[in-house]
Amino acid sequence: MSHVFSYDFRYDDNECETETSVAQAEVEDLVGDIYLNFVEPGTLAQGGGAIDDSRHKLLRAKHEQFIRDAINGLSNSFTLLDASQPWFSFWCLNSLDILGCNISQQLRNRVVDKLSRLQCPSGGFCGGSGQLPHLAGSYGAIMALVLVGGNAAFESIDRPGMYSWLMSMKCPDGAFAMHAGGEVDVRGIYCALVIASLLNIMTPELVKGAAEFIARCQTCEGGIGPYPGVEAHGGYTLCGLAALDILGKTDLLRLDRLARWMSARQLAFEGGFNGRTNKLVDGCYSYWIGGAFSILQKALKRSRADGYIYDRAALQRYILACCQDRRSGGLRDKPGKSPDLYHTMYCLVGLSLSQHYAGVEPNEQVTDITSVYSVPVRMMQWGAMPASLLVLGLRSNVVKPVHPVYSVPYTPLASFVKYFYALPPLADQLV
């Protein structure tokens, strides 16, 4: 497979130079130099040439070593991220699982022990020892425990305490505070609904007003901002769209406007996504926008035959050619940046979603959104469709398929759902 690489696709500032356009040109220079290394010699011309996509290789062993080195110990500089401890467990475990690497029982036990000590007696999980319980930390902890799997991990979760704490974060406008006295935005709704849908603690009181709050966050551009009246952003768009999918209410959005805004996030020259209008490409949006595209496909009732709305191959090209650190392993934001665990995981999730077509065929979608038991059915309807597999470069580049709403592989997710939906629900109906 080849792709025509051309400098004609670079950003045109219309001879009106700004700080933003200068930064964009610098990134394009770095990306262009990388892509030129993949151009077939016989096609090389002043404006570019044909990229030989068969040469792209996922540096699986180096990425695994990068992650395992982090698991074995981080430097003192990471004390700045003390409030993100559950996230480190999530980023590391999910990256290893997506890559198909072994996760030892010793590591699983270590994660359960660590997260149990971060669980608050009043419910929820702290980001670090002695801190307030936080929705982001609680989300990271639950997702890490999904990946650990097994009864010991599942039984370590204080399910009644979690529900009580989530309700204490509930706001009158339908949203959730991230922590007691903390900020209120779409992230909180997403984190709360992911946790509640996984633990089988969805109730009418918990979900009341959440969908309507998200709908009010859709901007004139079409994307979703953190709260009403604020600029649309890729991360909040995924959070809002995924939360609405959990609730079965994506129809509250202007999907045509959303599709247009999301399509504009893929940059013609780089192939990757940015998160906002006039911003630089960033590898993490491979999930925040790439995952949102999977959910949008379902919301628009597009079938597998209709194809994706974005260029899957271009995104894989950017991830494999520009986001991999070939020296130390790990993945990064963009060329010139250092790799980190956050970008490693979200680049891999985006790579997975661009390889495996994740969707639900329109004629198979469950329309019941009132019963609590419709939640796991709609959740597990998602699946990767083998006939639509697209792998750029070596065949060995293929990674595990992931769920676009929950960002983890399907097998551990199914085990978690099976366990918690065998328990009595807190309510039978959601309305």
Side-chain angles (χ1 to χ4, degrees):
M1 181 186 294
S2 63
H3 162 78
V4 176
F5 162 70
S6 173
Y7 280 99
D8 293 338
F9 295 141
R10 291 187 63 148
Y11 176 76
D12 182 5
D13 64 6
N14 294 308
E15 300 183 354
C16 181
E17 187 176 281
T18 65
E19 184 179 342
T20 300
S21 68
V22 170
Q24 175 67 27
E26 291 172 351
V27 171
E28 288 176 344
D29 286 342
L30 294 171
V31 170
D33 288 345
I34 291 172
Y35 283 161
L36 279 175
N37 291 326
F38 289 90
V39 169
E40 298 173 6
T43 69
L44 190 62
Q46 185 175 2
I51 290 181
D52 180 5
D53 281 327
S54 67
R55 293 169 52 199
H56 296 297
K57 179 180 180 181
L58 177 65
L59 306 175
R60 195 182 301 263
K62 285 196 171 185
H63 300 328
E64 179 181 3
Q65 191 59 53
F66 176 80
I67 297 161
R68 294 200 185 279
D69 286 346
I71 290 171
N72 291 332
L74 297 168
S75 68
N76 292 338
S77 63
F78 282 90
T79 54
L80 293 171
L81 296 173
D82 182 61
S84 300
Q85 292 181 40
W87 284 97
F88 280 97
S89 297
F90 176 39
W91 296 333
C92 290
L93 291 176
N94 203 27
S95 297
L96 289 174
D97 201 337
I98 292 169
L99 288 169
C101 303
N102 177 59
I103 301 175
S104 67
Q105 190 59 50
Q106 181 183 21
L107 177 57
R108 294 174 194 269
N109 294 342
R110 180 179 160 192
V111 171
V112 173
D113 178 66
K114 175 64 177 178
L115 295 178
S116 295
R117 286 184 278 117
L118 294 178
Q119 189 166 206
C120 294
S122 58
F125 289 82
C126 307
S129 300
Q131 299 171 13
L132 290 173
H134 196 285
L135 262 174
S138 296
Y139 167 87
I142 294 299
M143 298 313 299
L145 292 170
V146 168
L147 293 157
V148 169
N151 286 357
F154 303 160
E155 292 168 3
S156 72
I157 301 169
D158 180 3
R159 184 167 166 258
M162 178 64 80
Y163 178 77
S164 176
W165 177 72
L166 287 177
M167 286 304 300
S168 73
M169 295 297 104
K170 184 73 176 176
C171 300
D173 60 7
F176 292 82
M178 294 301 289
H179 59 86
E183 66 272 28
V184 177
D185 56 45
V186 168
R187 286 177 308 153
I189 297 177
Y190 172 70
C191 291
L193 293 186
V194 164
I195 293 167
S197 63
L198 289 172
L199 295 181
N200 188 14
I201 54 174
M202 300 271 279
T203 65
E205 295 78 16
L206 185 78
V207 305
K208 183 179 180 181
E212 291 74 17
F213 181 93
I214 296 169
R216 293 196 298 274
C217 295
Q218 187 172 23
T219 73
C220 59
E221 287 187 284
I224 298 172
Y227 45 87
V230 180
E231 182 186 10
H233 184 282
Y236 294 104
T237 296
L238 180 283
C239 288
L241 192 55
L244 288 174
D245 184 73
I246 292 171
L247 296 171
K249 294 185 176 181
T250 53
D251 58 342
L252 292 182
L253 297 174
R254 284 289 304 272
L255 296 174
D256 55 341
R257 288 186 179 182
L258 178 60
R260 183 170 59 249
W261 180 84
M262 286 173 53
S263 296
R265 304 280 63 77
Q266 188 162 33
L267 301 172
F269 186 77
E270 301 94 313
F273 296 118
N274 65 13
R276 287 185 287 162
T277 303
N278 288 331
K279 291 296 183 179
L280 302 176
V281 68
D282 187 330
C284 72
Y285 293 109
S286 302
Y287 172 62
W288 298 121
I289 297 294
F293 266 115
S294 297
I295 305 169
L296 178 63
Q297 296 273 137
K298 177 187 173 186
L300 291 171
K301 294 181 169 54
R302 289 172 62 90
S303 71
R304 177 176 61 83
D306 295 324
Y308 266 9
I309 306 173
Y310 76 93
D311 189 335
R312 298 162 65 190
L315 178 60
Q316 291 184 46
R317 186 176 301 114
Y318 177 71
I319 294 170
L320 293 170
C322 300
C323 293
Q324 297 190 97
D325 190 305
R326 299 179 183 280
R327 180 180 59 83
S328 66
L331 292 103
R332 60 195 178 190
D333 166 351
K334 59 178 66 68
K337 299 287 187 178
S338 299
D340 59 66
L341 294 170
Y342 167 85
H343 284 93
T344 295
M345 192 199 88
Y346 285 116
C347 283
L348 289 173
V349 174
L351 178 65
S352 172
L353 288 168
S354 61
Q355 290 179 347
H356 305 274
Y357 185 100
V360 181
E361 289 297 285
N363 62 343
E364 298 175 358
Q365 292 186 20
V366 174
T367 57
D368 175 24
I369 60 172
T370 61
S371 168
V372 165
Y373 290 106
S374 72
V375 175
V377 174
R378 285 185 285 111
M379 186 191 308
M380 299 316 298
Q381 261 203 313
W382 286 93
M385 303 179 182
S388 297
L389 182 69
L390 174 66
V391 181
L392 208 66
L394 303 180
R395 188 69 180 179
S396 60
N397 290 346
V398 68
V399 296
K400 287 185 180 180
V402 299
H403 195 295
V405 173
Y406 297 90
S407 73
V408 295
Y410 289 93
T411 299
L413 182 66
S415 297
F416 197 92
V417 170
K418 181 179 180 181
Y419 178 90
F420 281 97
Y421 278 86
L423 302 177
L426 301 187
D428 290 330
Q429 300 294 316
L430 295 180
V431 294

